[in-house]
């Protein structure tokens, strides 16, 4: 909106938002910095900075002379953003494991807590109880109370619309995974977001991972089940019901036939090969109980050159090539990022996929890379989303509103 159309109140709010956003990222700021980088007059810059100090979001630092950085003339007043003025919580509410990360307003981690859940008992009541428990455990570990939380974001293995709700599903799985988390945490957290877990993985990759500076990419959560967070033209896709890139589409794709993840596929193929007796005699997989074979074990062995595991990895890689080809054809992506716990052992799978990928595409083939953000990537993305939500809404929170 042009400044000439802003009311004095709206103009003031715009100035506060702009200065706070600048200070949020800076180590220290002066009025001159604000004038140069935000475009305010000196009197407005000084007035806005003083108000942010009064609101408890900025603090005045020792002046430049006292800090040994200024020798002559009148020293400039210096200010810093108070990252510990509030805190955010990022939650990965997976089906079998929940993770809560508490961070300050700049996203610096204060505490992380994990909670194993019984995936076979995924009732709404169980999910709500477990989510509250892991969040409260993380807050206690950080020495932070609920009243100090400015924003909270939860990632769930389900589509999520703009209101934080999940649509109906044939067996109501999505709503069991997201049992009104917005309402649950909204009872005490002033800003609450609920998002699809793969979308939050994409947020994490764009902020601090393999997609920094990339506007067109897909983050593929690929452990037990497939999930995709898609960025196109610098924007995260959501869809009318939060179902953009819903992986059930792969039920109908030859060579994939389902939304099973890469880890799941590696374990299943290894078990089948073991049952058939088709594994090379040198393969360590021959010595394992089929019940303990999992994707991590197979891919770790493949990365170490185990002949049987490498055959499995090549097969999984050929499937990944089909998946990447479909995603890249639909979204014209520059990069496909294999994310989550499975990424640590994904190198042999990605190598095989890259070899097969050109056959799947007419468009230029995307890169396929492994994430370095580990198993907690969804929680990392939830923290980043909560930080951004706090930046947008912190000035309206009661604890930062000036008394009349």
């Amino acid at each position: 909106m042009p400044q000439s159309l802003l009311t004095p109140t709206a103009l003031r709010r715009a100035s506060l938002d702009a200065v706070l956003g600048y200070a949020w990222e800076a180590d220290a700021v002066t009025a001159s910095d604000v004038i140069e980088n935000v475009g305010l007059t000196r009197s407005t810059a000084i007035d806005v900075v003083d108000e942010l100090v009064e609101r408890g979001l900025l603090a005045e630092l020792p002046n430049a002379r006292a800090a040994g950085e200024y020798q002559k003339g009148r020293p400039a007043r210096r200010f810093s953003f108070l990252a510990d003025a509030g805190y955010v919580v990022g939650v990965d509410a997976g089906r079998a494991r929940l993770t809560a990360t508490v961070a300050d307003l700049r996203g610096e981690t204060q505490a992380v807590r994990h909670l194993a859940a019984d995936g076979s008992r995924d009732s709404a009541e169980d999910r709500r109880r477990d989510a509250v428990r892991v969040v409260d455990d993380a807050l206690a570990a950080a020495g932070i109370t609920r009243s100090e939380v400015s924003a909270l974001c939860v990632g769930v293995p389900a589509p999520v619309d703009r209101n934080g709700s999940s649509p109906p599903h044939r067996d109501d799985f999505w709503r069991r995974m997201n049992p009104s988390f917005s309402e649950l945490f909204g009872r005490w957290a002033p800003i609450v977001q609920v998002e699809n877990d793969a979308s939050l993985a994409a947020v994490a990759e764009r902020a601090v991972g393999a997609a920094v500076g990339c506007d067109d990419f897909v983050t593929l959560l690929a452990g037990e089940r497939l999930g995709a967070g898609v960025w196109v033209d610098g924007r995260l896709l959501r869809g009318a019901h939060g179902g953009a890139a819903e992986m059930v589409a792969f039920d109908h794709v030859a060579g994939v036939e389902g939304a099973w993840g890469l880890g799941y596929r590696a374990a299943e193929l290894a078990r089948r090969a073991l049952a058939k007796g088709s594994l090379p005699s040198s393969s360590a997989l021959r010595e394992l109980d089929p019940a303990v074979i999992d994707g991590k074990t197979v891919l770790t062995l493949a990365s170490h050159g185990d002949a049987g595991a490498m055959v499995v990895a090549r097969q999984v890689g050929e499937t990944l090539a089909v998946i990447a080809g479909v995603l890249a054809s639909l979204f014209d992506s520059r990069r496909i990022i294999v994310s989550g716990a499975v990424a640590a052992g994904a190198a042999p799978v990605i190598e095989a996929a890259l070899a097969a990928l050109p056959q799947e595409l007419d468009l230029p083939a995307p890169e396929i890379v492994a994430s370095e953000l580990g198993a907690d990537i969804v929680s990392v993305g939830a923290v980043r989303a909560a930080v951004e939500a706090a930046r947008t809404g912190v000035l309206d929170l009661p604890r930062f509103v000036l008394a009349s």
Side-chain angles (χ1 to χ4, degrees):
M1 181 183 295
Q3 280 198 359
S4 60
L5 299 181
L6 291 173
T7 66
T9 299
L11 184 58
R12 179 67 169 190
R13 176 55 186 259
S15 297
L16 286 165
D17 283 333
V19 174
L20 180 60
Y22 174 68
W24 204 296
E25 300 294 338
D27 292 329
V29 300
T30 66
S32 296
D33 294 329
V34 171
I35 293 166
E36 180 180 351
N37 291 280
V38 181
L40 301 180
T41 65
R42 176 166 293 276
S43 61
T44 300
I46 293 171
D47 193 32
V48 167
V49 167
D50 284 341
E51 180 175 331
L52 291 172
V53 171
E54 190 176 354
R55 284 172 176 259
L57 289 164
L58 298 186
E60 187 162 3
L61 299 170
N63 65 46
R65 181 177 295 154
E69 299 173 0
Y70 192 93
Q71 300 298 323
K72 296 181 181 180
R74 182 179 179 181
R77 295 171 68 198
R78 302 163 65 246
F79 303 86
S80 67
F81 173 66
L82 291 174
D84 60 356
Y87 296 90
V88 300
V89 182
V91 183
D92 174 8
R95 184 178 187 184
R97 189 180 84 150
L98 292 88
T99 300
T101 302
V102 178
D104 66 21
L105 291 177
R106 278 192 170 136
E108 291 297 320
T109 298
Q110 308 297 303
V112 180
R113 286 294 180 268
H114 302 287
L115 176 65
D118 185 348
S120 65
R121 297 179 59 197
D122 55 14
S123 72
E125 181 180 348
D126 289 337
R127 293 274 291 167
R128 288 162 69 93
R129 183 194 64 242
D130 288 345
V132 169
R133 177 182 169 187
V134 75
V135 167
D136 284 343
D137 285 352
L139 289 173
I144 293 164
T145 65
R146 287 181 172 185
S147 64
E148 296 174 271
V149 174
S150 297
L152 181 148
C153 180
V154 187
V156 297
V160 182
D161 66 19
R162 290 168 179 80
N163 298 316
S165 300
S166 295
H169 187 259
R170 61 179 66 95
D171 64 357
D172 217 29
F173 174 76
W174 290 340
R175 288 183 175 173
R176 292 201 308 279
M177 293 299 97
N178 178 19
S180 301
F181 279 139
S182 291
E183 175 270 333
L184 176 67
F185 289 110
R187 295 172 184 173
W188 57 267
I191 300 172
V192 178
Q193 285 184 251
V194 182
E195 301 286 354
N196 170 258
D197 55 1
S199 293
L200 290 177
V203 169
E205 296 291 359
R206 185 93 184 316
V208 295
V212 172
C214 183
D215 284 344
D216 299 280
F217 69 94
V218 175
T219 295
L220 190 66
L221 286 179
E224 287 297 302
R225 300 282 295 179
L226 294 175
V230 181
W231 283 69
V232 175
D233 297 336
R235 299 181 63 181
L236 180 66
L237 299 188
R238 181 189 297 274
H241 309 96
E246 170 55 37
M247 295 289 98
V248 71
F250 284 109
D251 289 352
H252 311 289
V253 176
V256 183
E257 284 95 16
W260 298 109
L262 306 184
Y264 176 91
R265 292 171 189 273
E268 282 296 299
L269 287 169
R271 292 191 196 102
R272 291 175 193 171
L274 182 60
K276 291 179 181 178
S278 60
L279 290 168
S281 59
S282 62
S283 176
L285 290 171
R286 291 170 61 96
E287 309 303 320
L288 297 179
D289 181 340
V292 303
I293 293 177
D294 58 18
K296 181 179 179 181
T297 299
V298 177
L299 297 182
T300 298
L301 287 172
S303 66
H304 292 158
D306 182 278
M310 289 179 69
V311 170
V312 170
R314 281 195 293 272
Q315 291 175 295
V316 175
E318 290 166 1
T319 301
L320 175 58
V322 178
I323 294 167
V326 169
L327 293 172
S329 294
L330 289 172
F331 304 114
D332 193 13
S333 306
R334 292 187 181 276
R335 193 170 299 158
I336 307 290
I337 305 167
V338 178
S339 301
V342 73
V349 173
I350 290 174
E351 182 180 355
L354 289 171
L357 184 58
Q359 304 171 40
E360 304 293 335
L361 281 168
D362 292 322
L363 289 167
E367 302 174 87
I368 304 179
V369 301
S371 171
E372 296 183 356
L373 298 183
D376 287 344
I377 183 172
V378 175
S379 184
V380 171
V383 166
R384 303 303 302 191
V387 167
E388 289 306 308
R391 286 180 66 155
T392 300
V394 71
L395 290 171
D396 298 317
L397 301 188
R399 64 183 300 184
F400 300 117
V401 172
L402 292 180
S404 301

